Amino acid sequence: MEDYLLYHYPLCPLSRKVRFLLNELSVRHGLVEIKPWERNVRAMELNPPEGEIPILLVKRDGNYAVVDSFVIAEYLVSLNATTLLPRSEREKAEVRKIEMWFDKKFYNEASLVILRERVYNSLVYPHLSIDTKELKESEKRLNYHLAYLNTLLNGRKWFAGEKFSLADITAAAQLSSLDYLGEIQWDKYRNVKNWYLVVKSRPSFASILTDVIPGFKPYKYYDKFDF
Amino acid sequence: MEDYLLYHYPLCPLSRKVRFLLNELSVRHGLVEIKPWERNVRAMELNPPEGEIPILLVKRDGNYAVVDSFVIAEYLVSLNATTLLPRSEREKAEVRKIEMWFDKKFYNEASLVILRERVYNSLVYPHLSIDTKELKESEKRLNYHLAYLNTLLNGRKWFAGEKFSLADITAAAQLSSLDYLGEIQWDKYRNVKNWYLVVKSRPSFASILTDVIPGFKPYKYYDKFDF
């Protein structure tokens, strides 16, 4: 039997981060799909009052929930032998800084609005038209952020430190959700593209590349290695 | 000489969290005031590209910056002997959950808009009138969140676990900024009021109660113990 149950939504970048991490650590887990736009009683019970995902249900010590993608990552990394978070406090802070930047800034300013306008809203209100102004503004911010990320990767293999870390997991989770929708112009950001190609090849990432959202075909390069 | 330099703004709740924590841990530090609405070259250099505060400059190993209030808190707690973060991973996750809820949800939905409309905007554009609709909506969300916090404290002395923790520091930092502006109707939230009274009495919190923002007198009960 698995030790964990993850309440998630396939395209949610914060959920993807935890899925990618669970695979990377080879931690056995089950998945329960939650639609972020619906009120789900079980999710609200596990993470009151609003039931926000991702939620990691730990199936021991009488079952308990760990919530928030950043907090879940800290939890899982502490309980498993891994170099995904470096040893020194200074290097840890570098990894966490990138993680937090994605969790807060990139997510709020780019991913969340794009996902809401292009996917969530259209599933909830099929006849509602997209708020083009909001979407365009988020896409502009997305490109601004991608240009910054491209600079960050100048002469560096990973986003923080010498090794593949939680920072790279967090970044790949966010970018892959937007890539599913064809939002990333890879050729404009060569450093990011080269980095993503390496991350994409990890076996732990494979299940994310097979995600299919009913009604939304993945963009043509989504699961390809020559894009 | 002090070991740290904190780039902060007195009313910024995320900066307050770090100040309160530094005092609580008796860590010697200097303070540099940064106005969040201005582009500050030094802040942008330490936390590129936008120079967001708080920034903790560590004055050793060639000087380096630790950024994001949550990440700074993890950093400081790891380097000091303290019970502000409990030992077990399960209890740690409980404390971090509350912290993150304040850092993301409470800050974005309540504190940030109220501070922007009532303080930041009026300092930058003295003749601009307040966006009353935005402010009213944030105040409504503030009261919704306070009601939830009041429930959380039913029969509990602290926000997470058996001891005063990072969760309480984070909560007090956010609430005190809004209290400076007279935004908290304490008598509607008795559990929160009783909890705040205890936190407010800690010597480590005293310097926060003497803050004065030019042009904004603190609300009449701000530094009082009978409110």
Side-chain angles (χ1 to χ4, degrees):
Chain A
M1 211 185 75
E2 67 265 333
D3 308 313
Y4 297 98
L5 211 51
L6 179 69
Y7 292 77
H8 81 120
Y9 180 70
L11 264 195
C12 160
L14 307 173
S15 300
R16 280 186 168 214
K17 170 179 177 170
V18 181
R19 279 167 69 204
F20 188 10
L21 176 60
L22 285 164
N23 292 338
E24 189 66 35
L25 297 172
S26 305
V27 167
R28 279 184 307 172
H29 61 280
L31 294 170
V32 181
E33 188 175 323
I34 296 283
K35 296 182 170 47
W37 56 89
E38 284 178 7
R39 291 165 62 91
N40 180 289
V41 177
R42 181 64 175 142
M44 288 162 74
E45 190 180 280
L46 291 172
N47 186 18
E50 294 175 12
E52 280 167 343
I53 52 164
I55 303 168
L56 185 72
L57 181 68
V58 183
K59 296 167 82 178
R60 58 176 180 268
D61 302 334
N63 287 10
Y64 61 94
V66 179
V67 305
D68 185 282
S69 63
F70 189 102
V71 177
I72 295 172
E74 291 285 330
Y75 177 87
L76 287 171
V77 160
S78 297
L79 295 181
N80 291 275
T82 173
T83 57
L84 290 174
L85 206 52
R87 288 189 63 171
S88 88
E89 291 308 320
R90 177 179 182 166
E91 290 168 302
K92 274 198 178 83
E94 274 301 310
V95 170
R96 287 173 175 147
K97 164 187 161 173
I98 303 284
E99 266 193 272
M100 205 59 105
W101 184 87
F102 273 102
D103 284 5
K104 289 180 178 169
K105 202 165 183 75
F106 189 91
Y107 180 68
N108 284 319
E109 297 189 359
S111 313
L112 180 63
V113 186
I114 294 173
L115 284 165
R116 195 179 62 211
E117 290 302 329
R118 291 199 45 196
V119 181
Y120 302 170
N121 277 357
S122 81
L123 289 168
V124 187
Y125 317 104
H127 302 294
L128 191 79
S129 57
I130 290 175
D131 183 335
T132 321
K133 194 175 157 245
E134 266 252 73
L135 182 61
K136 282 261 173 304
E137 270 170 24
S138 296
E139 286 170 339
K140 207 173 132 185
R141 279 194 299 266
L142 167 62
N143 282 285
Y144 170 79
H145 289 324
L146 284 169
Y148 167 63
L149 293 174
N150 206 57
T151 319
L152 262 192
L153 286 172
N154 256 339
R156 276 162 77 168
K157 191 172 174 195
W158 306 114
F159 270 114
E162 301 296 310
K163 287 185 179 154
F164 176 78
S165 75
L166 272 184
D168 301 292
I169 291 185
T170 308
Q174 294 273 352
L175 296 186
S176 67
S177 290
L178 296 174
D179 189 40
Y180 186 99
L181 301 171
E183 289 281 348
I184 318 256
Q185 301 166 49
W186 294 108
D187 287 328
K188 284 175 69 178
Y189 311 104
R190 306 296 300 199
N191 296 337
V192 182
K193 181 177 175 172
N194 292 334
W195 161 86
Y196 188 56
L197 200 48
V198 180
V199 177
K200 211 175 177 177
S201 322
R202 294 181 91 86
S204 54
F205 201 61
S207 74
I208 284 174
L209 296 177
T210 61
D211 278 343
V212 179
I213 312 297
F216 294 87
K217 258 181 71 173
Y219 192 68
K220 55 187 173 182
Y221 302 126
Y222 178 66
D223 59 351
K224 302 287 181 297
F225 293 94
D226 48 341
F227 57 108
Chain B
M1 209 186 75
E2 68 265 334
D3 308 313
Y4 298 98
L5 210 51
L6 179 68
Y7 292 76
H8 80 120
Y9 181 69
L11 264 195
C12 160
L14 307 173
S15 300
R16 278 186 170 214
K17 170 179 176 171
V18 181
R19 280 167 69 203
F20 188 8
L21 176 60
L22 286 163
N23 291 338
E24 189 66 35
L25 297 172
S26 305
V27 167
R28 278 183 307 171
H29 61 279
L31 293 170
V32 181
E33 189 175 322
I34 297 283
K35 297 184 169 47
W37 56 88
E38 285 178 6
R39 293 166 60 93
N40 181 291
V41 177
R42 180 65 175 142
M44 289 163 72
E45 190 181 277
L46 291 172
N47 186 19
E50 293 176 12
E52 280 167 345
I53 52 164
I55 302 168
L56 185 72
L57 180 68
V58 182
K59 297 167 79 176
R60 57 173 180 268
D61 302 334
N63 286 10
Y64 60 95
V66 179
V67 305
D68 184 284
S69 63
F70 190 102
V71 176
I72 295 171
E74 292 285 329
Y75 176 87
L76 288 171
V77 161
S78 296
L79 295 181
N80 290 275
T82 173
T83 57
L84 290 174
L85 206 51
R87 288 190 62 171
S88 88
E89 291 307 321
R90 178 180 182 166
E91 291 169 300
K92 274 198 179 84
E94 274 302 308
V95 170
R96 288 173 174 147
K97 165 188 163 174
I98 302 284
E99 263 192 275
M100 206 59 106
W101 183 88
F102 273 102
D103 283 5
K104 288 180 179 170
K105 201 162 183 75
F106 189 91
Y107 180 67
N108 284 319
E109 298 188 359
S111 313
L112 180 62
V113 186
I114 294 172
L115 283 166
R116 195 180 60 210
E117 290 301 328
R118 290 198 48 197
V119 181
Y120 301 171
N121 276 357
S122 82
L123 289 169
V124 186
Y125 316 104
H127 302 294
L128 190 80
S129 58
I130 290 175
D131 183 334
T132 322
K133 194 174 158 247
E134 267 252 74
L135 181 62
K136 283 261 172 302
E137 271 170 24
S138 296
E139 286 171 339
K140 209 173 131 184
R141 281 194 298 266
L142 167 62
N143 281 285
Y144 170 81
H145 290 325
L146 284 169
Y148 166 64
L149 294 174
N150 206 57
T151 320
L152 263 191
L153 286 174
N154 255 339
R156 277 163 75 170
K157 192 173 174 194
W158 306 113
F159 271 113
E162 302 295 311
K163 287 187 178 150
F164 176 76
S165 76
L166 272 184
D168 301 291
I169 289 185
T170 309
Q174 294 274 351
L175 296 186
S176 67
S177 289
L178 296 174
D179 190 41
Y180 186 99
L181 301 170
E183 288 282 346
I184 318 256
Q185 300 166 51
W186 294 108
D187 287 327
K188 285 176 71 178
Y189 312 104
R190 305 297 298 202
N191 295 336
V192 182
K193 180 178 175 171
N194 292 334
W195 161 87
Y196 188 56
L197 200 48
V198 180
V199 176
K200 210 175 177 177
S201 320
R202 295 180 88 87
S204 53
F205 201 61
S207 74
I208 285 174
L209 296 178
T210 61
D211 278 344
V212 178
I213 313 295
F216 294 88
K217 256 182 71 173
Y219 192 67
K220 55 186 171 182
Y221 302 125
Y222 177 66
D223 59 351
K224 302 287 181 298
F225 294 94
D226 49 340
F227 57 108

